[in-house]
Amino acid sequence: MATYSLANERLRALEDIEREIGAILQNAGTVILELSKEKTNERLLDRQAAAFTASVQHVEAELSSQIRYLTQVATGQPHEGSSYSSRKDCQMALKRVDYARLKLSDVARTCEQMLEN
Amino acid sequence: MAQQRALPQSKETLLQSYNKRLKDDIKSIMDNFTEIIKTAKIEDETQVSRATQGEQDNYEMHVRAANIVRAGESLMKLVSDLKQFLILNDFPSVNEAIDQRNQQLRALQEECDRKLIGLRDEVSIDLYELEEEYYSSSSSLCEANDLPLCEAYWRLDLDTDSTDGLSAPLLASPEPSAGPLQAAAPAHSHAGGPGPTEHA
């Protein structure tokens, strides 16, 4: 179930960074390809080079901030919390519902048998 | 105010290594890219012939491009390691995730129990009518060895061959009108419980 908010925000930020790294390599390739042409489109060249530089700086800043956050937050101890108890309670509630449904179907079957007889 | 806690050596070393990897990879990408751009500049012929210089530049650009790609892949691996570290060690978000999960499961459990209690109330009304119909029907006979209604119901499953099973003796209460009430009262006492209604 992907409804965790805070954890997902940081993970989503890291996934955005991954996409941006791909974009960095794409931009670098476009710049070099453009340079290899005889007639270079200077505006495209400048735009791509600026995008490349901005992306690299952005990726560096984002990753540095993530590492800084982890330095503040990490304790080195394993997390020992769990949702086992509430999961068990919910499981028992679902078992109660199943049992009630089973018994109701028995009663319905018995009523039908009585009616047939 | 964030106090610097004494992290275990391994965690501190790990985070420092992440920083180092980040700096190295970014530096590698930038340096190799700028060197490729510089190498692309066409210069006058020097001691080396233009063809040889061209070959050398070609090889150098290939190597630098491969370095850029390697640094990019190393960055991706770093991001993957950071994600793993975050999932395992980011206690605030792990706590919040656990709390959210507990809330969802508790809400589902309360919903189930609420529906069961509503069902119990509805079924007890229908059971009352069924029992009234059963006791007032011509097949209901009062005998000394009459069984309670629930016993007669269970006997149907056990005595399938016996013809008396179908016309099983009924509740031995002298007042038939008290029968449905007696059956309904334990049903109300078993609030939401899984067990069937049992007569004393």
Side-chain angles (χ1 to χ4, degrees), chain B residues 127 131 134-135 146-158 168-172 179 182-183 186 196-200:
Chain B
L127 267 179
E131 286 174 354
Y134 180 71
Y135 290 128
D146 276 352
L147 291 173
L149 181 62
C150 61
E151 290 287 337
Y153 173 72
W154 294 123
R155 284 283 175 91
L156 277 178
D157 292 332
L158 293 173
L170 301 175
L171 193 66
Q182 189 178 353
T197 58
E198 292 179 11
H199 295 284

Side-chain angles (χ1 to χ4, degrees), chain A residues 32-96:
Chain A
I32 294 167
L33 195 68
E34 197 61 35
L35 270 177
S36 69
K37 292 180 183 169
E38 282 194 14
K39 272 179 117 178
T40 57
N41 185 350
E42 284 190 20
R43 262 187 305 181
L44 179 69
L45 207 59
D46 286 339
R47 203 167 57 237
Q48 293 287 336
F52 170 82
T53 316
S55 297
V56 166
Q57 285 170 354
H58 182 244
V59 161
E60 187 177 8
E62 279 291 321
L63 284 177
S64 292
S65 79
Q66 294 278 352
I67 293 173
R68 215 175 311 125
Y69 171 78
L70 283 173
T71 316
Q72 290 170 356
V73 151
T75 61
Q77 304 296 326
H79 193 284
E80 295 181 3
S82 85
S83 57
Y84 180 73
S85 62
S86 54
R87 204 168 60 201
K88 213 62 194 165
D89 290 339
C90 185
Q91 202 177 358
M92 295 313 294
L94 292 171
K95 286 256 185 274
R96 285 198 285 275

Side-chain angles (χ1 to χ4, degrees), chain B residues 26-193:
Chain B
I26 295 290
K27 188 171 182 306
S28 169
I29 288 177
M30 288 304 293
D31 289 347
N32 282 295
F33 184 72
T34 45
E35 287 302 318
I36 287 178
I37 304 293
K38 281 187 201 167
T39 312
K41 184 178 169 187
I42 297 173
E43 290 169 347
D44 295 333
E45 188 172 324
T46 55
Q47 286 183 346
V48 179
S49 72
R50 202 180 283 276
T52 314
Q53 188 64 41
E55 281 298 319
Q56 180 186 331
D57 290 346
N58 179 39
Y59 180 67
E60 185 181 340
M61 283 189 187
H62 269 106
V63 169
R64 292 200 185 277
N67 278 342
I68 291 177
V69 171
R70 188 207 53 78
E73 283 186 4
S74 172
L75 267 180
M76 297 288 265
K77 176 78 172 63
L78 173 66
V79 170
S80 164
D81 291 344
L82 276 177
K83 276 192 205 172
Q84 187 177 343
F85 195 92
L86 194 75
I87 288 169
L88 290 174
N89 293 292
D90 186 11
F91 280 15
S93 59
V94 170
N95 288 338
E96 184 168 334
I98 289 176
D99 286 340
Q100 271 190 353
R101 186 79 179 128
N102 282 341
Q103 270 176 15
Q104 283 168 4
L105 291 169
R106 232 174 274 132
L108 181 60
Q109 180 202 338
E110 281 166 11
E111 175 83 17
C112 287
D113 286 341
R114 199 170 43 244
K115 291 250 163 81
L116 269 180
I117 289 173
L119 188 69
R120 178 207 67 185
D121 293 336
E122 287 177 26
V123 166
S124 66
I125 294 170
D126 293 334
L127 267 179
Y128 182 83
E129 290 174 8
L130 279 172
E131 286 174 354
E132 273 217 359
E133 183 59 39
Y134 180 71
Y135 290 128
S136 61
S137 69
S138 58
S139 61
S140 70
L141 301 167
C142 285
E143 294 179 4
N145 56 346
D146 276 352
L147 291 173
L149 181 62
C150 61
E151 290 287 337
Y153 173 72
W154 294 123
R155 284 283 175 91
L156 277 178
D157 292 332
L158 293 173
D159 303 332
T160 53
D161 292 331
S162 165
T163 55
D164 293 336
L166 282 178
S167 60
L170 301 175
L171 193 66
S173 168
E175 297 177 2
S177 61
L181 291 176
Q182 189 178 353
H188 284 294
S189 70
H190 287 281

